[in-house]
């Protein structure tokens, strides 16, 4: 009886919804599987790769786990954009579960090569963008408008929390069992979610379109007419792009430079997840925040915390830096969305957010794909430190180009009565 009193009032009606609670239980299990695959995909590619080409195969495998979703979103748009959200979510989970499940079967049969692994990962992710759209559309159908923000926050927080437990579990399993079997466990989590969604009786509501292509196209035109928001989108895209090589270089740094087992890689990502959750919750608790300056500091700060990887420092130093990096990195997405919500004209907000999602979908997978050849050519240490150095330069460039343009806008009242670029006070 004391738990509802401890919850902020915005979350009480959302968590009182029985169907919502049932769904987020399934999402939590699926996110845990993804957290384990975060370590297992890279480790398996490293084990399968021929000598001297591990970086290329890690980049290819990690990109295959996400990038084909962009292709699926574009190529299958005409066929899938009118499919109900529940069917989209089910289709994605079935495809993900089947083809990820084939990875350990191929490994047990002795036919799992790097090409087979990448191909199975690529097919498994083909519908993932649609599944993600279906998930949030399903939540929009389930919850009334005044509860959707709280519901989306709960789901996104579960995703961050999964990066705490998932990598830690996977780090042990890839060391003492097999990375291929970890992907089998991930496949089971998708099957679990598919069964749960299929067995859950949803209320009859008006159908919400999961993908509004016209809104996305119109949103890009609107963003071009708002230089501040276009600059925000560019900053976010390059920040995500420069993060991509870290996912490739860190596993190789652990195995090649340090000669350490997968448990250390799991520790890096677990502590990053803890830091990200802590940083996000701490920043979200602040009543007022100058969004643009804080975001630029986050970009530069994350880059600075990657620089020690380029030097021969104790492992404890880089572990501490990566943990602090999570604290710094964690709030960026929420701040970016909040700034767009604050600065966008209310009647155009949905279109601008649709355009933002469409553009950002490519950034991190592309950075991961580029991380393979970079790590092969430069080595893990230089790639990690180089990503940090270029990210610091991005923060400095944003400071020079974007912040001065905000001097007059920061003093102009927004529609919420607050200075534009400053977070409105929390209720």
């Amino acid at each position: 009886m004391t738990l509802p009193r401890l919850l902020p009032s915005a979350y009480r009606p959302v968590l009182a919804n029985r169907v919502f609670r049932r769904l987020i239980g399934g999402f939590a299990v699926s996110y845990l599987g993804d957290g384990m695959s975060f370590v297992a995909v890279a480790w398996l590619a490293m084990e399968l790769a021929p000598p001297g080409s591990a970086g290329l195969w890690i980049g290819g495998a990690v990109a295959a786990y996400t990038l084909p979703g962009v292709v699926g979103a574009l190529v299958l748009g005409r066929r899938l954009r009118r499919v109900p959200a529940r069917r989209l979510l089910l289709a994605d989970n079935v495809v993900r579960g089947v083809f990820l499940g084939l990875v350990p079967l191929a490994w047990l049969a002795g036919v799992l090569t790097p090409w087979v692994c990448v191909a199975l990962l690529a097919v498994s992710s083909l519908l993932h963008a649609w599944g993600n759209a279906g998930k949030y559309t399903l939540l929009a159908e389930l919850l009334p408008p005044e509860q959707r923000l709280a519901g989306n926050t709960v789901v996104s927080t579960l995703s961050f929390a999964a990066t705490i437990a998932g990598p830690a579990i996977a780090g042990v399993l890839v060391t003492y069992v097999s990375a291929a079997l970890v992907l089998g466990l991930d496949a089971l989590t998708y099957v679990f979610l598919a069964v749960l969604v299929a067995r859950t009786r949803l209320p009859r509501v008006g159908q919400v379109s999961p993908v509004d292509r016209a809104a996305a196209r119109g949103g890009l035109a609107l963003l071009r007419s708002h230089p501040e928001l276009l600059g925000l989108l560019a900053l976010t895209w390059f920040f995500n792009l420069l993060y991509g090589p870290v996912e490739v270089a860190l596993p190789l740094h652990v195995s090649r430079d340090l000669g350490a087992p997968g448990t250390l890689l799991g520790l890096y990502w677990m502590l990053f997840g803890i830091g990200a959750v802590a940083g996000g919750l701490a920043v979200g608790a602040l009543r007022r925040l100058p969004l643009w300056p804080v975001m630029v500091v986050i970009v530069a700060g994350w880059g600075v915390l990657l620089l020690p990887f380029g030097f021969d420092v104790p492992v404890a130093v880089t572990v501490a830096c990566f943990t602090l990096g999570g604290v710094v990195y964690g709030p960026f997405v929420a701040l970016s969305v909040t700034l767009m919500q604050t600065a966008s004209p209310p009647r155009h907000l949905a279109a601008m957010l649709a355009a933002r999602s469409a553009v950002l979908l490519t950034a991190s997978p592309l950075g991961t794909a580029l991380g393979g050849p970079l790590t092969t050519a430069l080595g893990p240490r230089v790639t990690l430190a180089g990503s940090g150095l270029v990210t610091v330069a991005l923060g400095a460039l944003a400071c020079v180009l974007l912040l001065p343009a905000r001097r007059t806008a920061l003093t102009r009242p927004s529609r919420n009565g607050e200075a534009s670029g400053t977070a409105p006070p929390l209720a």
Side-chain angles (χ1 to χ4, degrees), residues 45-92:
M46 184 171 57
E47 291 178 341
L48 296 174
S53 62
L56 293 173
W57 285 108
I58 291 176
V62 174
Y65 193 67
T66 54
L67 193 57
V70 181
V71 179
L74 298 174
V75 174
L76 302 176
R78 180 170 297 181
R79 292 172 178 250
L80 297 181
R81 66 172 179 260
R82 290 188 175 89
V83 175
R86 180 175 181 168
R87 291 184 184 177
L88 287 175
L89 185 57
L90 281 172
D92 172 47

Side-chain angles (χ1 to χ4, degrees), residues 312-333:
D312 188 16
V313 298
V315 173
V317 173
T318 56
V319 168
C321 286
F322 210 64
T323 305
L324 186 56
V327 177
V328 172
Y329 192 97
F332 185 85
V333 174

Side-chain angles (χ1 to χ4, degrees), residues 203-266:
R204 293 183 178 273
V205 294
Q207 185 173 334
V208 179
S209 175
V211 178
D212 189 341
R213 297 177 67 185
R217 290 194 298 268
L220 289 174
L222 289 167
L223 284 171
R224 287 196 296 269
S225 66
H226 291 72
E228 174 195 353
L229 296 180
L230 191 62
L232 168 65
L233 183 61
L235 175 66
T236 307
W237 193 89
F238 280 106
F239 187 41
N240 290 349
L241 176 77
L242 293 172
Y243 167 83
V246 174
E247 295 187 8
V248 179
L250 187 61
L252 285 172
H253 172 66
V254 169
S255 63
R256 183 185 300 174
D257 297 336
L258 303 178
T263 49
L264 179 59
L265 179 62

